[in-house]
Amino acid sequence: MGGQAKFKKKNKAKRKDTKPTGGALMSPQERMKAKMQERAKKKTAGKYTTDQLIEKTEECIDNFDFDMARLYCQRALDIEPTNLTLLDMMGNICTELGDIEKAKQVYLKAVELSPEEGHSKYMYLGQIHTGIEAVQYFSKGTEVMLNVMDKHTNEASAFGAAALPSVCAVSKKDMSVAFCSIAEIFFTDLCMEEGAADRCKEAIDKALQYNEHNPEALQLMASYLFSIEKTEEGRVYLKKSVSSWLPSLQKAEESLASTEHDMEEEEDQNKSNIPPYESRITTAKLLIEAEEYEMATEVLEDLLEEDDEVVEVWYLLGWLFYLQLDKQDLTNNGVNFRKSAWTYLSKAKKLYVKLRCEDAPMFEHTEQLLAELGGEEHGADDDDDDDDEAGPSVDNIEDDFIQSSDEEDDAMDH
């Protein structure tokens, strides 16, 4: 009995020792990776300082090498697991890599360690979450930022104008962006909640209070005014928003710059004002709603230059040209609008199928518009060789050849 018990105990211990963390759930590749990481950890333990590892992490982030950045940052966290700067960096890296669960764990740990200091973790958590949870995180972030700004103001008063303290870690622009995030949630996730419109307007007002030139805040105000049918007021805010970053509206201002240095500063400022890609798609929708078709076309064409595989951009270009069919004499320039509408909508349809998108209403509307346009023959009159800007280009000629080739193969099969 004793020998049998001893055998079982020994066998049990052996199984435990040969299983890495995660047991049988780990694949051979994962076990090998874990061993390599552990070996590298032991090899570099005590060899590099936290500052050196942070420097390498930042270098990798600047070069968009987030996999290596994660390794360096984790090594630094092994040394200083409660370093808030490192936790923020790790959360950001995990977000870039698409590891949202890991990012959430890191940010929540930072909140646990220092709930009243550092607003960025709350901003990231707000982006990761939805609905009321997101609002709570963003609101806490604004609270922390306000405390920082109040403290800086008090210190400035104490020091006096002759000896001001260092620059405040939080800017009015940061505050404006945070309130825009809150307003956006009441426009989307919580739009059906009681009092959503009032809370949305309150957040937009605060965003503009902290930065009256914030393009995103101005655009949100335009959206709000359109939603309550104050179209003319909304158009004013929308134009003010777009004028701060749309290239064509900057030419006059740039020509007034007195020196080359002034022009470079103006260009840098304009670039910093350009909203994110998705936000500019919303801009285009609002411009179409306001019947500002020329500006909408410029916004959408700029988006295509950045990324020409976004179905919605092609669809919106087709839609805005379609909307202009009855604005001009069809025997004059109207034919160009028809050709452009058909070209852009056809591209949207092909790209939708290629990318296997899941926006059924947009696809149905695209097919409906193409049916109303009556097919390609209406967009390809005897002026095919004309080099007008509204006509189809040869940029996507390969699509037509591929389609023709497929049709020939089908014919041969029959």
Side-chain angles (χ1 to χ4, degrees), residues 68-249:
M68 283 304 299
R70 183 172 185 166
L71 289 176
Y72 286 123
C73 192
Q74 184 57 58
R75 198 62 44 77
L77 279 170
D78 291 338
I79 301 171
E80 296 184 28
T82 60
N83 186 311
L84 295 175
T85 300
L86 286 169
L87 288 170
D88 271 354
M89 291 177 72
M90 178 59 83
N92 185 25
I93 292 167
C94 291
T95 301
E96 291 289 346
L97 290 171
D99 192 348
I100 303 303
E101 275 306 311
K102 176 64 176 178
K104 189 185 299 185
Q105 292 172 15
V106 172
Y107 288 132
L108 289 175
K109 182 177 180 180
V111 168
E112 182 182 347
L113 289 169
S114 182
E116 301 303 326
E117 292 183 8
H119 67 277
S120 60
K121 55 181 175 283
Y122 291 110
M123 297 297 104
Y124 283 120
L125 284 167
Q127 293 170 18
I128 292 172
H129 290 78
T130 58
I132 195 63
E133 279 187 299
V135 172
Q136 289 171 346
Y137 282 121
F138 283 130
S139 298
K140 182 62 180 180
T142 59
E143 179 187 320
V144 172
M145 284 192 282
L146 279 172
N147 290 337
V148 172
M149 294 179 75
D150 289 343
K151 182 180 178 181
H152 184 265
T153 301
N154 293 335
E155 289 177 354
S157 300
F159 278 91
L164 289 173
S166 59
V167 178
C168 184
V170 175
S171 68
K172 289 185 176 182
K173 182 179 179 180
D174 295 329
M175 290 293 298
S176 182
V177 170
F179 280 114
C180 283
S181 297
I182 294 174
E184 188 69 41
I185 294 170
F186 284 110
F187 254 127
T188 53
D189 299 354
L190 302 178
C191 63
M192 302 304 292
E193 295 292 316
E194 185 177 353
D198 293 336
R199 293 193 65 180
C200 179
K201 176 64 162 51
E202 179 185 352
I204 297 172
D205 286 338
K206 287 184 177 178
L208 288 171
Q209 175 187 330
Y210 283 102
N211 184 1
E212 62 180 342
H213 301 296
N214 182 351
E216 186 180 1
L218 291 166
Q219 180 168 300
L220 283 167
M221 180 60 82
S223 295
Y224 172 79
L225 292 169
F226 283 147
S227 71
I228 59 174
E229 299 183 357
K230 291 187 177 181
T231 308
E232 287 306 313
E233 291 182 47
R235 185 180 279 111
V236 172
Y237 277 96
L238 182 59
K239 286 185 176 181
K240 190 174 180 181
S241 171
V242 176
S243 66
S244 67
W245 56 268
L246 192 66
S248 66
L249 299 179

Side-chain angles (χ1 to χ4, degrees), residues 152-387:
H152 184 265
T153 301
N154 293 335
E155 289 177 354
S157 300
F159 278 91
L164 289 173
S166 59
V167 178
C168 184
V170 175
S171 68
K172 289 185 176 182
K173 182 179 179 180
D174 295 329
M175 290 293 298
S176 182
V177 170
F179 280 114
C180 283
S181 297
I182 294 174
E184 188 69 41
I185 294 170
F186 284 110
F187 254 127
T188 53
D189 299 354
L190 302 178
C191 63
M192 302 304 292
E193 295 292 316
E194 185 177 353
D198 293 336
R199 293 193 65 180
C200 179
K201 176 64 162 51
E202 179 185 352
I204 297 172
D205 286 338
K206 287 184 177 178
L208 288 171
Q209 175 187 330
Y210 283 102
N211 184 1
E212 62 180 342
H213 301 296
N214 182 351
E216 186 180 1
L218 291 166
Q219 180 168 300
L220 283 167
M221 180 60 82
S223 295
Y224 172 79
L225 292 169
F226 283 147
S227 71
I228 59 174
E229 299 183 357
K230 291 187 177 181
T231 308
E232 287 306 313
E233 291 182 47
R235 185 180 279 111
V236 172
Y237 277 96
L238 182 59
K239 286 185 176 181
K240 190 174 180 181
S241 171
V242 176
S243 66
S244 67
W245 56 268
L246 192 66
S248 66
L249 299 179
Q250 298 299 316
K251 290 180 181 178
E253 295 180 18
E254 290 176 2
S255 65
L256 296 175
S258 57
T259 66
E260 184 177 342
H261 177 70
D262 292 334
M263 293 179 69
E264 289 177 357
E265 286 189 347
E266 185 74 23
E267 185 177 352
D268 290 340
Q269 179 65 33
N270 294 339
K271 287 180 179 179
S272 68
N273 281 337
I274 297 178
Y277 198 98
E278 287 297 326
S279 179
R280 280 177 284 156
I281 291 179
T282 302
T283 303
K285 292 177 181 177
L286 292 172
L287 287 168
I288 292 172
E289 185 176 350
E291 298 185 2
E292 297 287 348
Y293 297 126
E294 287 188 16
M295 280 193 282
T297 301
E298 183 177 354
V299 171
L300 290 167
E301 288 179 345
D302 286 346
L303 290 172
L304 280 186
E305 287 186 13
E306 290 181 35
D307 186 350
D308 63 357
E309 291 209 337
V310 179
V311 178
E312 190 174 16
V313 176
W314 291 97
Y315 159 75
L316 288 172
L317 274 165
W319 172 231
L320 76 83
F321 278 114
Y322 173 88
L323 290 173
Q324 296 176 81
L325 289 180
D326 61 348
K327 299 295 182 182
Q328 296 185 15
D329 186 353
L330 292 179
T331 62
N332 188 15
N333 290 329
V335 65
N336 294 335
F337 289 133
R338 180 176 291 276
K339 288 168 69 175
S340 294
W342 192 92
T343 300
Y344 286 120
L345 290 168
S346 296
K347 178 65 178 182
K349 182 178 178 180
K350 291 177 183 177
L351 199 57
Y352 184 100
V353 174
K354 173 185 173 182
L355 300 179
R356 299 180 181 179
C357 297
E358 296 182 354
D359 189 339
M362 180 175 69
F363 185 74
E364 291 171 5
H365 191 219
T366 299
E367 290 200 306
Q368 176 189 337
L369 295 175
L370 285 170
E372 289 183 25
L373 289 169
E376 184 176 8
E377 64 272 15
H378 291 286
D381 294 338
D382 19 325
D383 296 329
D384 281 337
D385 294 330
D386 291 349
D387 188 25

Side-chain angles (χ1 to χ4, degrees), residues 32-80:
M32 179 62 72
K33 184 178 179 180
K35 287 180 180 179
M36 291 176 66
Q37 289 177 344
E38 187 64 27
R39 190 179 301 126
K41 181 178 176 181
K42 290 179 180 178
K43 183 178 179 181
T44 58
K47 186 174 181 180
Y48 302 105
T49 66
T50 303
D51 289 341
Q52 287 176 315
L53 291 167
I54 288 176
E55 184 179 345
K56 291 297 294 182
T57 302
E58 291 174 340
E59 182 182 317
C60 291
I61 291 174
D62 290 340
N63 293 323
F64 303 100
D65 188 354
F66 295 106
D67 287 311
M68 283 304 299
R70 183 172 185 166
L71 289 176
Y72 286 123
C73 192
Q74 184 57 58
R75 198 62 44 77
L77 279 170
D78 291 338
I79 301 171
E80 296 184 28

